[in-house]
Amino acid sequence: MASDHTRAAILNAAERLYADRGFGDVTLRDIVAAADVNLAAVNYHFGSKDELIAELFVTRSLATNRERLNELKSAEEAGGGRASIESILRALVGPTLRGCLGPDRERSTAARFMIRASIESVPPIRRIKNREIDHLRKFAAAMRRSLPDCSEADLYWGLHFALAMAHQTIRDSERLSKLSEGLCDLNDVGGMIERIVAVSVMALTGREVEKKAPARLVTRDAR
Amino acid sequence: MASDHTRAAILNAAERLYADRGFGDVTLRDIVAAADVNLAAVNYHFGSKDELIAELFVTRSLATNRERLNELKSAEEAGGGRASIESILRALVGPTLRGCLGPDRERSTAARFMIRASIESVPPIRRIKNREIDHLRKFAAAMRRSLPDCSEADLYWGLHFALAMAHQTIRDSERLSKLSEGLCDLNDVGGMIERIVAVSVMALTGREVEKKAPARLVTRDAR
DNA sequence: TTGCATTTCAAACATTTGTATGAAACTATC
DNA sequence: GATAGTTTCATACAAATGTTTGAAATGCAA
């Protein structure tokens, strides 16, 4: 299998270039130039450009999914088999948000790549995303256990809204930042997660989250 | 100025093709074939492919923005200058959702085009979207008048979340439909709008919406 | 070393794509 | 009906891009 050096160099260069400039205007020639390997190496090692992109994306999204499930498992164990709805939602949106947002300096190439992947929807990635449903079903199941009185439809809407807020915050963080002229602190990922969790819980239960929220969405003094 | 026939034929064909197959794999040659005009006509009438796409998008999004502002104005007039937060949010997300979702048969080419535009983010459209902020500021201002005690940051987060839920529901309606196995009714646009408005209001005020919501997010009987 | 498989390389391929050109057809005005 | 301006057309251009090829290099086992 040789040293894998070329393969790894391609993956690194590709991830960085895609993260920096998007899928639209990065060519194989750009990638091999940055990786300092031969043009044919991409097709030799990956088969095609799309398969290279797919490999980059599955690697990263498997990691995120694993992290989500770990958090979910911890939460369920801590709750004796039934996790609180807050902790379930936190496990759902936390890993993604922590991975993709936060201080610029800490934002890894991997994170920037995933942001790109969520902004520019390119065919090989779309195909993979379509298989994400089974993963989400596990969270739906946990939510059902946590909120046995909640209707199925409301459950799915709540799950959907939680993901929507998280995902769109990643996609459009720049717009929110401009719109609020910096008032919305996108570096405070923890606070952002709690906001999204709080809103989602309210959406699901009709009541505010009361405990252990380091940052709450509604912080006004006015009643 | 001649009959404009060619120009219109191109716009129609392009919108339909982009709506059906996405920006990725529709070429100018596909468009002119569908419109039954000469290849050079696109560049003659629009200057370039990107300008054609831009024209399609601005036309549609200006229409949506106009509709939003009309609704906002109506709401403010009805409330004597100060609209309820519910009606403001309804004016914000309603036009987009009504335009893009609903029964298949009623879903116009224009709507399907806008969905595409929101899924596949292509450069000319991205450029236009960046100018959308001024439009949103008007809604932020209305919200500020409606909720004078709400902190600025919370206001922007609420606006952002409302848009996030609406936007992502459009983008990912298929996933929600599959995930919920049809339980979440995406044809009931009215109900969907009220769900999003209700959640957004809760996010902003910490309380449930109480009046005139034809469909509420929280419909469980359990307390 | 010899032989065999893996990997690298330069070059070419084959398309596809948006755009440009210049002549022809058309239209409206005088 | 000649003229000038506009629009249409067939065709060519030029550049970019993913992929393939076949030979050279490299690594490794016997």
Side-chain angles (χ1 to χ4, degrees):
Chain A
M1 74 173 83
S3 71
D4 259 3
H5 166 273
T6 303
R7 219 186 124 85
I10 292 173
L11 286 170
N12 281 337
E15 185 167 55
R16 188 171 53 75
L17 285 175
Y18 286 139
D20 287 345
R21 292 162 34 193
F23 298 98
D25 55 83
V26 172
T27 72
L28 284 190
R29 283 170 175 80
D30 293 332
I31 294 171
V32 299
D36 199 34
V37 300
N38 187 269
L39 174 60
V42 172
N43 285 279
Y44 178 78
H45 286 280
F46 299 93
S48 70
K49 184 196 189 185
D50 277 9
E51 288 172 88
L52 166 61
I53 293 177
E55 171 145 350
L56 283 170
F57 185 72
V58 293
T59 305
R60 297 304 177 197
S61 65
L62 282 183
T64 302
N65 288 355
R66 207 175 314 125
E67 212 178 324
R68 279 178 170 170
L69 290 176
N70 279 344
E71 282 196 33
L72 177 62
K73 201 176 155 206
S74 303
E76 294 201 311
E77 280 167 1
R82 180 172 305 184
S84 72
I85 185 66
E86 287 90 344
S87 58
I88 296 172
L89 293 169
R90 218 173 271 125
L92 182 70
V93 303
T96 312
L97 286 167
R98 272 197 305 278
C100 293
L101 293 179
D104 285 351
R105 285 145 273 299
E106 295 173 20
R107 211 171 302 169
S108 67
T109 305
R112 290 189 352 261
F113 172 83
M114 291 303 274
I115 296 175
R116 282 289 182 187
S118 101
I119 294 176
E120 301 172 36
S121 187
V122 70
I125 291 183
R126 264 201 298 274
R127 280 192 285 273
I128 295 165
K129 276 192 184 152
N130 287 338
R131 306 185 215 125
E132 204 192 14
I133 294 193
D134 288 334
H135 177 251
L136 293 182
R137 280 194 203 292
K138 295 175 187 155
F139 283 85
M143 289 168 68
R144 197 173 300 123
R145 284 192 293 274
S146 176
L147 298 175
D149 295 327
C150 185
S151 86
E152 286 285 292
D154 284 348
L155 210 70
Y156 288 118
W157 277 109
L159 175 58
H160 168 73
F161 285 155
L163 286 173
M165 289 184 275
H167 198 168
Q168 201 71 5
T169 301
I170 291 168
R171 283 173 55 93
D172 261 352
S173 64
E174 201 188 347
R175 184 181 72 184
L176 176 58
S177 181
K178 273 189 200 160
L179 181 65
S180 73
E181 283 163 326
L183 250 83
C184 295
D185 184 5
L186 292 159
N187 291 333
D188 176 19
V189 187
M192 180 162 37
I193 292 173
E194 291 310 321
R195 263 180 202 274
I196 292 175
V197 169
V199 174
S200 305
V201 171
M202 282 196 283
L204 283 159
T205 67
R207 60 168 172 76
E208 283 193 67
V209 199
E210 0 216 352
K211 54 180 179 196
K212 86 170 288 201
R216 296 260 301 288
L217 176 58
V218 181
T219 52
R220 289 160 298 90
D221 28 340
R223 179 85 315 150
Chain B
M1 78 170 84
S3 71
D4 258 4
H5 166 273
T6 304
R7 220 186 121 85
I10 292 173
L11 286 170
N12 280 337
E15 185 167 55
R16 188 172 54 75
L17 285 176
Y18 285 139
D20 288 344
R21 291 160 37 193
F23 297 98
D25 52 86
V26 172
T27 72
L28 283 190
R29 284 169 175 81
D30 293 331
I31 294 171
V32 299
D36 199 35
V37 301
N38 188 270
L39 174 59
V42 172
N43 284 279
Y44 178 78
H45 285 281
F46 299 93
S48 71
K49 183 196 189 185
D50 277 11
E51 287 172 88
L52 166 61
I53 293 178
E55 171 145 349
L56 282 170
F57 185 72
V58 292
T59 304
R60 297 303 177 198
S61 66
L62 282 183
T64 301
N65 287 355
R66 208 174 312 126
E67 213 178 325
R68 279 177 170 172
L69 289 176
N70 279 342
E71 284 195 32
L72 177 61
K73 202 175 155 206
S74 302
E76 293 201 312
E77 280 168 1
R82 179 172 305 183
S84 73
I85 185 65
E86 288 90 343
S87 59
I88 296 172
L89 293 170
R90 217 173 273 127
L92 182 69
V93 303
T96 312
L97 286 167
R98 273 198 304 278
C100 293
L101 293 178
D104 284 351
R105 285 146 272 299
E106 296 172 21
R107 211 171 303 169
S108 67
T109 306
R112 292 190 349 263
F113 172 83
M114 290 303 274
I115 295 175
R116 283 287 183 189
S118 104
I119 294 176
E120 300 173 36
S121 186
V122 72
I125 290 183
R126 263 202 299 275
R127 278 192 287 272
I128 295 165
K129 276 191 184 153
N130 287 338
R131 304 187 215 125
E132 205 193 13
I133 294 193
D134 288 334
H135 177 251
L136 293 182
R137 279 194 204 291
K138 295 175 187 157
F139 283 85
M143 289 168 68
R144 196 172 300 123
R145 285 192 293 274
S146 175
L147 298 176
D149 295 329
C150 185
S151 87
E152 285 286 291
D154 284 348
L155 208 71
Y156 287 119
W157 276 109
L159 174 59
H160 169 73
F161 285 155
L163 285 173
M165 289 185 273
H167 199 169
Q168 200 72 6
T169 302
I170 291 169
R171 282 173 55 93
D172 262 351
S173 65
E174 200 187 349
R175 184 181 72 185
L176 176 58
S177 182
K178 272 189 199 159
L179 180 65
S180 72
E181 284 164 326
L183 251 81
C184 295
D185 183 5
L186 292 160
N187 290 333
D188 176 19
V189 186
M192 179 162 38
I193 292 173
E194 292 309 320
R195 264 180 201 274
I196 293 175
V197 168
V199 175
S200 305
V201 171
M202 281 196 284
L204 282 159
T205 67
R207 60 167 171 77
E208 284 193 65
V209 197
E210 358 216 355
K211 56 182 177 198
K212 87 169 286 204
R216 296 259 303 288
L217 176 60
V218 181
T219 52
R220 291 159 300 87
D221 28 343
R223 177 83 318 153

